[in-house]
Amino acid sequence: MAPPVFRFAPSPNGHLHLGHAYSALLNFDRAREAGGRLLLRIEDIDATRCRPEYEAAIYEDLGWLGIAWDTPVRRQSEHLADYRAALEKLAALGLVYPAFESRAEIARLVAGREADGPWPRDPDGAPVYPGDAKSLPVSERSRLIDSGLPYALRLDMAAACRRVSGLTWNELGEGPDGERGLVVARPEAWGDVILARKEIPTSYHLSVVVDDALQGVSEIVRGQDLFHATSVHRLLQALLGLPEPAYRHHTLIRDADGRKLSKSDRSTGLRELRAAGSSPAGVRKAVGLG
Ligand code: GLU
């Protein structure tokens, strides 16, 4: 049997903090324990927020922690053709449509819908897409695209869910409400998620699914903040005919006030801790892996 494959997939849009250290160390330890490989993937599709100096810092901070990974590192910005191919596959199934509303227009539409009662929120707490771009005639879609308007390419969730049903995943860790074992996927709770934008042929959901499959990742170890996104990932895997990995979601490291750590909070940054004299063993201890 091929050895299991793990991956740590940070975005270079800030410096790593204790939460990243926990996730990276769990991946590293699991890979070792299972006789598997650990890959490092740089999730840098958002060119407006990602910077080369943050990427360089990721290598330095992980190396300092004593984490080793297989090379080459996969940098998402270098693989846009792979995501475009997946997007085209979904489009050929009739599951993708362009939506032209700006953020402000979406907020206005949601406010309008809320006049009749609460409008559904996705598992991250954002309102699900309230527009009806799905029903624009094809000629109108082309006209709006040709006029140069920005747009998002959205998944027709209802149509996608009609194609595949009964999706589950094997949760080796734990969801935020203690979910474990066989978990039923509920992608419909996300509404018509964005798969790509005019200027970039992918999104977090699409590229993560394509990359995990292309890289043969068999066990995904990541934070519980992505537990519910797994429903969308399982749906995309099924639609694209990709293999199903196992998932191991872990608890999040929180600050003294119980808040999720942020890349801008200096007190929990790995660079700051190192500069203040912390050791890699000290970081392991701080995240409960000592
Ligand atoms: N790039 C994502 C992040 O930094 C992680 C993606 C994943 O593990 O699926 O939060």
Side-chain angles (χ1 to χ4, degrees):
M1 225 174 78
V5 179
F6 298 79
R7 50 61 162 189
F8 178 58
S11 296
N13 55 12
H15 287 132
L16 301 186
H17 53 54
L18 280 177
H20 299 105
Y22 182 50
S23 203
L25 287 165
L26 278 177
N27 268 290
F28 180 60
D29 292 355
R30 267 296 295 145
R32 279 203 158 171
E33 178 185 289
R37 300 165 55 212
L38 174 61
L39 309 178
L40 176 61
R41 186 163 76 223
I42 300 295
E43 302 213 324
D44 62 347
I45 52 172
D46 184 353
T48 59
R49 297 177 62 218
C50 294
R51 293 212 221 124
E53 55 270 33
Y54 290 135
E55 183 181 332
I58 288 173
Y59 302 136
E60 198 180 299
D61 292 347
L62 294 179
W64 173 72
L65 277 177
I67 289 175
W69 56 91
D70 279 16
T71 50
V73 167
R74 184 174 170 96
R75 209 183 267 126
Q76 290 188 324
S77 57
E78 293 170 351
H79 297 277
L80 298 184
D82 291 332
Y83 313 130
R84 200 183 306 264
L87 187 63
E88 279 167 10
K89 213 165 160 180
L90 296 170
L93 296 173
L95 299 178
V96 179
Y97 67 89
F100 301 88
E101 297 91 348
S102 64
R103 271 175 212 278
E105 279 162 337
I106 288 187
R108 258 200 310 278
L109 282 173
V110 170
R113 307 252 178 180
E114 297 216 299
D116 305 327
W119 182 248
R121 310 263 145 179
D122 70 23
D124 278 350
V128 304
Y129 172 64
D132 45 20
K134 187 165 88 173
S135 45
L136 281 180
V138 174
S139 58
E140 182 64 0
R141 285 181 187 174
S142 313
R143 192 188 67 75
L144 291 170
I145 289 176
D146 292 347
S147 77
L149 271 185
Y151 57 88
L153 292 169
R154 291 185 177 268
L155 179 69
D156 181 341
M157 184 59 82
C161 289
R162 279 196 298 272
R163 288 191 83 94
V164 283
S165 58
L167 282 177
T168 57
W169 77 86
N170 183 17
E171 178 59 55
L172 303 172
E174 199 173 36
D177 293 315
E179 304 91 334
R180 49 171 73 231
L182 200 66
V183 176
V184 174
R186 301 198 190 286
E188 62 282 359
W190 290 91
D192 289 0
V193 289
I194 293 178
L195 294 176
R197 292 182 187 275
K198 178 182 177 184
E199 64 288 0
I200 164 131
T202 192
S203 59
Y204 161 65
H205 294 309
L206 186 63
S207 41
V208 88
V209 157
V210 168
D211 285 346
D212 286 333
L214 282 174
Q215 297 191 285
V217 175
S218 53
E219 184 175 323
I220 294 175
V221 179
R222 63 182 179 191
Q224 277 177 350
D225 50 342
L226 294 170
F227 177 83
H228 292 294
T230 309
S231 286
V232 177
H233 301 171
R234 288 290 301 116
L235 176 64
L236 293 176
Q237 285 158 359
L239 294 168
L240 293 166
L242 304 175
E244 175 187 351
Y247 290 85
R248 187 183 294 273
H249 290 95
H250 59 74
T251 50
L252 299 178
I253 304 286
R254 297 188 179 272
D255 68 13
D257 300 322
R259 280 189 302 253
K260 247 173 84 169
L261 301 185
S262 126
K263 279 178 171 155
S264 54
D265 179 358
R266 308 200 134 249
S267 64
T268 51
L270 296 183
R271 328 219 98 202
E272 285 75 13
L273 291 167
R274 182 159 87 228
S278 282
S279 65
V283 168
R284 265 193 181 270
K285 231 190 172 126
V287 297
L289 293 172

